[in-house]
Amino acid sequence: MADADRNRRSVRRIVLVVIAMFGFGYLLVPLYDVFCEITGLNGKTGRIAEAEVAASYRPDPSRSLTIQFVASNSADMPWDFRPAVATMVVHPGQLYATYFVAANRTGQRMVAQAIPSMAPTRAARYFNKTECFCFNQQPLEAGEEKQMPLRFIVDPRLPKDIETLTLVYSLFDVTGRTASQ
Amino acid sequence: MSMATATHDADHDHGPAKGLKRWITTTNHKDIGTLYLVFALTMFFIGGAMAMVIRAELFQPGMQLVDPQFFNSMITVHALVMIFGAVMPAFTGLANWLIPMMIGAPDMALPRMNNLSFWILPFAFTLLLSTFFMEGGGPAGGWTLYPPLSLQMGEGFPFMIFAIHLAGISSIMGSINVIVTILNMRAPGMTLMKMPLFVWTWLITAYLLIATMPVLAGAVTMLLTDKFAGTSFFNAAGGGDPVMYQHIFWFFGHPEVYILILPAFGIISAIVPTFARKPLFGYSSMVYATTSIAFLSFIVWAHHMFTVGMPVVGELFFMYATMMIAVPTGVKVFNWVSTMWKGAMSFETPMLFAIGFIMMFTIGGFSGLMLAIAPADFQYHDTYFVVAHFHYVLVTGAIYSIMAATYYWLPKWTGKMYDERLGKIHFWVSTLSVNVLFFPQHFLGLAGMPRRIPDYSVQFADWNMVSSIGGFVFGASQLLFLWVVIKTVRGGKKATDRVWEGANGLEWTLSSPPPYHSFSEAPVIK
């Protein structure tokens, strides 16, 4: 029965691999987030504390960038959603403020989550926000309209060939979902 | 039978049980191999019927026969049935029949699990096909099940997910069995580097399966919890990302395409030397090439998603890594051709299918190289060019190898010769029609026809009609294959033990058909 023992040992080893690979599938989820955060892939823009801004960046008035703001609704989202201004001309290293306007025209209270995305994607990690309505879920009562603030700063190390950045917010309906991030 | 009775008391060598119970309770590798092959053939015709619906709808522009939702579920389920229901079980069936006989083992290492891993499959595919009768119909978002589209499926969604789980569990158990059998049950003297290439390629395939099937299980479980448990793995609103699904899916999906072709390489490597009457050229380079392909298959997945918006560095990496696969694959094709070089060749049906495989699989390989070029892929992505590519590697590749294997080993399994004349007719009708079916799809794709659509612009009409005609003929010619198999099983000329003049390997030293329990005493390996 040495053979049966040997088989049992082999099976045990292989089953461990199977379980490990199932776990690896789930491990890819945090790995993916970390990878995107480090590389700025996927258009995920950064976040920075306002107190650090002065220490980190020096304004560069010699360079001007155009920032375009775009608002979009995901499939089932009924709100009105638009940027206060469509474009801004900014200098890297300097803090700017603007806002988006959202209005809930439906008859009930709803909660929304805005998800940012940036084009070109390689610019994303140079675009940092000190304050953003996308950091939190945004509840609006029936018929309520709200100005949702955004304060941002562009890292002066942004590659020289980039002159225009497009920031897109997509609004998702998360009413009835608990906050997860 | 009289021999079985005579030896019964001496060594407890039981023959098969009688009737239906034999097939339900069997732990015999030959019975289970037969079950797998019959199941695969059944699924091949179910999936083929869906392909006929697709080609009928595309026969002319405009909406002809079915509504778009049903058309989409046809393309989705056609793929799922053919991949998980036809090709993979067919290879597992061949593994069950052949691996123990090729390495001189009495049976598979884990016979009870073998029974279980087969009998899960009919349940898995009943679940999958039952979704057609549910509210919302069958899955229609493509076999890759990309969210958020796949999450919009109707009530059948969890049934489809569980069907994939079950099919995955079945193939994981089948792979465990193959690995343990090959590692522990080889006859004395059968070293790894003496194993037939079919055994080698299956060993590597089994490792690919246990490494990637659990990842697929994880990905579809995430879909399930996203839909029903409020998680947000792929939901942007909750911080997830639908593109991540594509990464996880193709981490499974690319090794999966090699799972569908590596055993085919083993089959061709068995058949070509037999009919060229020369030993295989470059045996060890074949082993190393197979291993390299398996390794590379893990680092090329994102070439399926060049258009999602990757940085240039990523596109370059995946492009070059993908092109690198052409090197070991080229080694294999070179070795097959060199085996035939100056051989005393004869062209029985298995050899015809093997040569057809080598030529047409290579065509599919070349269109794959074109698709690997990232900037070109921006043009080809999601067009009929991709459809033509993967049907050349899967139909004239994987399916042709399974046909070749059936013709090659059927006399061994049944003890009777198939009808050579009908076999040759089957080959020529299939080969002519399959090229009429898929070659024009290259033109359609290059001209810009998108895949997965039930209707198209009129400029695509001519080639679609040609393709559909080829499709109907190819579909009908497979009924001839079914007839050849049935005819052989019901009675044919008695086959010799060796069957083929040039055949080498342990399975040919057994009688045709082999005894129910073979190699109870390990054979001596020279």
Side-chain angles (χ1 to χ4, degrees):
Chain A
M1 281 293 99
D3 273 358
D5 277 352
R6 213 149 72 109
N7 288 352
R8 215 169 297 135
R9 228 181 10 251
S10 307
V11 172
R12 216 174 299 137
R13 246 179 259 148
I14 301 168
V15 168
L16 280 181
V17 175
V18 170
I19 294 168
M21 288 311 292
F22 187 77
F24 178 73
Y26 276 84
L27 188 67
L28 284 173
V29 177
L31 282 178
Y32 181 82
D33 284 343
V34 170
F35 189 76
C36 288
E37 206 164 300
I38 294 171
T39 57
L41 285 181
N42 217 8
K44 287 197 172 153
T45 48
R47 182 174 182 171
I48 189 173
E50 188 134 2
E52 289 175 35
V53 168
S56 308
Y57 303 125
R58 198 158 304 128
D60 175 8
S62 66
R63 193 173 168 201
S64 293
L65 303 163
T66 306
I67 314 277
Q68 302 177 323
F69 298 102
V70 177
S72 92
N73 278 347
S74 71
D76 306 323
M77 190 64 186
W79 289 12
D80 288 348
F81 182 45
R82 61 184 165 82
V85 291
T87 59
M88 279 175 90
V89 177
V90 304
H91 300 302
Q94 196 167 321
L95 194 62
Y96 292 89
T98 181
Y99 61 92
F100 279 58
V101 181
N104 178 4
R105 306 284 184 213
T106 67
Q108 58 258 348
R109 181 179 188 274
M110 288 179 68
V111 186
Q113 171 72 56
I115 302 292
S117 177
M118 171 146 280
T121 48
R122 66 200 167 96
R125 63 172 161 157
Y126 303 99
F127 189 92
N128 292 313
K129 287 165 287 195
T130 59
E131 187 186 346
C132 176
F133 54 94
C134 61
F135 293 161
N136 298 305
Q137 295 188 345
Q138 300 291 334
L140 282 188
E141 298 303 326
E144 188 185 351
E145 183 172 311
K146 191 169 160 188
Q147 293 184 355
M148 303 195 295
L150 168 70
R151 291 167 71 77
F152 64 91
I153 183 165
V154 180
D155 191 325
R157 283 168 294 187
L158 180 79
K160 293 282 179 252
D161 59 311
I162 300 177
E163 289 166 353
T164 305
L165 293 84
T166 309
L167 178 63
V168 186
Y169 281 101
S170 300
L171 213 54
F172 289 83
D173 177 11
V174 290
T175 316
R177 265 173 177 270
T178 48
S180 64
Q181 279 208 334
Chain B
M1 275 298 100
S2 64
M3 217 180 73
T5 333
T7 56
H8 184 266
D9 287 334
D11 59 359
H12 294 271
D13 189 7
H14 293 272
K18 292 277 174 289
L20 194 62
K21 205 177 158 215
R22 163 179 177 185
W23 300 106
I24 294 171
T25 60
T26 185
T27 55
N28 181 285
H29 74 101
K30 300 182 182 82
D31 282 354
I32 292 173
T34 306
L35 284 172
Y36 266 112
L37 289 169
V38 169
F39 177 81
L41 193 61
T42 313
M43 282 295 146
F44 178 62
F45 281 103
I46 293 176
M50 293 174 184
M52 294 300 106
V53 174
I54 295 167
R55 281 324 313 172
E57 177 59 52
L58 294 174
F59 191 72
Q60 287 185 323
M63 301 306 302
Q64 319 290 338
L65 302 168
V66 294
D67 70 73
Q69 172 77 17
F70 187 74
F71 179 89
N72 288 346
S73 63
M74 281 290 110
I75 55 152
T76 305
V77 183
H78 164 73
L80 290 172
V81 163
M82 285 302 199
I83 293 167
F84 295 101
V87 175
M88 288 169 68
F91 282 140
T92 314
L94 292 171
N96 264 290
W97 253 107
L98 296 170
I99 288 176
M101 297 203 301
M102 283 176 161
I103 61 172
D107 204 310
M108 297 295 276
L110 311 155
R112 280 159 196 270
M113 194 169 82
N114 208 7
N115 175 289
L116 181 61
S117 67
F118 170 75
W119 278 108
I120 286 176
L121 279 179
F123 293 93
F125 284 87
T126 309
L127 266 184
L128 179 65
L129 296 174
S130 70
T131 58
F132 278 111
F133 304 101
M134 293 176 192
E135 190 69 38
W143 80 280
T144 53
L145 310 176
Y146 283 0
L149 187 58
S150 66
L151 297 175
Q152 292 167 12
M153 190 183 160
E155 287 177 2
F157 181 78
F159 293 85
M160 174 199 64
I161 298 292
F162 289 137
I164 291 173
H165 278 145
L166 286 178
I169 290 169
S170 163
S171 55
I172 287 171
M173 291 200 298
S175 311
I176 292 177
N177 222 334
V178 166
I179 295 175
V180 177
T181 306
I182 296 175
L183 292 187
N184 294 351
M185 308 264 294
R186 293 191 313 277
M190 176 65 78
T191 58
L192 284 176
M193 289 310 271
K194 275 188 187 164
M195 295 194 309
L197 264 168
F198 180 73
V199 181
W200 254 115
T201 51
W202 238 112
L203 179 66
I204 293 164
T205 303
Y207 274 111
L208 287 181
L209 273 164
I210 60 161
T212 58
M213 271 295 168
V215 177
L216 174 70
V220 298
T221 307
M222 290 180 210
L223 285 179
L224 194 69
T225 56
D226 265 15
K227 178 134 172 141
F228 294 109
T231 58
S232 304
F233 288 108
F234 311 126
N235 182 351
D241 187 344
V243 173
M244 184 176 69
Y245 175 84
Q246 300 188 22
H247 283 287
I248 301 176
F249 179 85
W250 286 113
F251 183 83
F252 146 81
H254 201 75
E256 168 71 13
V257 308
Y258 292 102
I259 289 164
L260 297 172
I261 204 66
L262 291 186
F265 291 167
I267 292 165
I268 302 306
S269 303
I271 293 175
V272 170
T274 299
F275 296 98
R277 291 167 183 77
K278 274 174 64 191
L280 183 70
F281 182 87
Y283 170 88
S284 52
S285 67
M286 285 296 214
V287 173
Y288 299 133
T290 312
T291 319
S292 331
I293 293 173
F295 169 75
L296 288 172
S297 74
F298 282 101
I299 57 163
V300 298
W301 76 89
H303 67 212
H304 294 270
M305 23 192 304
F306 277 145
T307 57
V308 296
M310 254 187 288
V312 172
V313 181
E315 308 228 323
L316 286 176
F317 171 79
F318 286 110
M319 174 169 117
Y320 290 129
T322 305
M323 290 179 161
M324 218 142 69
I325 296 185
V327 176
T329 315
V331 168
K332 290 188 149 295
V333 174
F334 178 85
N335 285 352
W336 291 321
V337 174
S338 303
T339 307
M340 288 189 272
W341 180 254
K342 290 186 174 172
M345 295 225 282
S346 58
F347 299 93
E348 286 87 343
T349 312
M351 185 61 162
L352 289 178
F353 273 98
I355 295 173
F357 170 97
I358 296 171
M359 296 186 66
M360 290 183 281
F361 174 79
T362 306
I363 293 176
F366 279 135
S367 58
L369 265 177
M370 291 169 71
L371 288 164
I373 304 167
D377 183 72
F378 276 68
Q379 168 73 16
Y380 306 150
H381 189 84
D382 265 351
T383 67
Y384 258 83
F385 191 80
V386 180
V387 177
H389 157 69
F390 67 70
H391 281 97
Y392 262 91
V393 287
L394 287 177
V395 178
T396 56
I399 302 273
Y400 260 47
S401 79
I402 294 165
M403 303 263 182
T406 310
Y407 283 111
Y408 185 58
W409 281 293
L410 195 61
K412 171 56 62 187
W413 300 333
T414 60
K416 293 160 216 154
M417 282 307 283
Y418 62 88
D419 187 328
E420 187 67 55
R421 197 179 61 91
L422 285 183
K424 281 189 171 141
I425 295 174
H426 171 228
F427 170 77
W428 285 110
V429 176
S430 292
T431 302
L432 291 175
S433 59
V434 84
N435 283 292
V436 175
L437 163 58
F438 292 122
F439 211 82
Q441 296 183 0
H442 290 114
F443 313 147
L444 288 170
L446 292 178
M449 177 170 162
R451 63 191 283 210
R452 292 173 171 159
I453 50 162
D455 185 11
Y456 48 82
S457 312
V458 285
Q459 74 265 31
F460 304 128
D462 293 348
W463 285 122
N464 266 298
M465 189 177 282
V466 170
S467 177
S468 286
I469 292 169
F472 299 142
V473 178
F474 182 72
S477 68
Q478 301 324 307
L479 296 172
L480 185 59
F481 175 66
L482 182 65
W483 171 240
V484 173
V485 173
I486 292 173
K487 199 173 163 220
T488 312
V489 173
R490 283 175 43 184
K493 212 161 69 237
K494 178 97 186 66
T496 59
D497 291 353
R498 187 84 180 278
V499 183
W500 310 108
E501 185 194 23
N504 274 304
L506 285 178
E507 76 267 34
W508 307 107
T509 64
L510 295 166
S511 62
S512 296
Y516 195 57
H517 296 286
S518 46
F519 294 131
S520 304
E521 302 280 323
V524 182
I525 316 285
K526 296 176 292 290

